[in-house]
Amino acid sequence: QVQLVESGGGLVQAGDSLKLSCTINGRNFRGHKVAWFRQAPGQVRVFTAAISWNDRRTYYADSVKGRFTISRDNAENTVSLQMNSLKPEDTAVYYCATGARIILSSLRNEAAYDYWGQGTQVTVSS
């Protein structure tokens, strides 16, 4: 079993930065891909960013490319999402997720992920 716990959300102003962290506990998650998804009010949950644990290859949604950076800390078993130049449209609940069956073609599909955190709220005021 794998448990994920997000932290770092909050209320910020447009243009500010915020760093989210996802602490992962459990065995055998290394080697998996870990992703961040987000769900804005009244909308479906969408892919935001992902990282391959082994080779640190990263993937981003077009809407956050150049502003968000995903990284992982092997020693701390954490995956972070550094969010810069935040916009009001970045307001959402942010979730981290992982799974053993994720391949490139399913990376952006939430159904491919087996384990999810509880989410952390990010609110960006204009």
Side-chain angles (χ1 to χ4, degrees), residues 47-62:
F47 172 82
T48 303
I51 187 167
S52 294
W53 192 270
N54 288 340
D55 61 15
R56 302 194 187 198
R57 190 167 296 183
T58 57
Y59 311 86
Y60 296 95
D62 288 343

Side-chain angles (χ1 to χ4, degrees), residues 28-63:
N28 298 330
F29 69 88
R30 297 188 180 190
H32 300 173
K33 292 179 174 61
V34 180
W36 286 93
F37 285 74
R38 65 185 184 182
Q39 186 169 20
Q43 298 187 24
V44 299
R45 191 157 54 184
V46 297
F47 172 82
T48 303
I51 187 167
S52 294
W53 192 270
N54 288 340
D55 61 15
R56 302 194 187 198
R57 190 167 296 183
T58 57
Y59 311 86
Y60 296 95
D62 288 343
S63 59

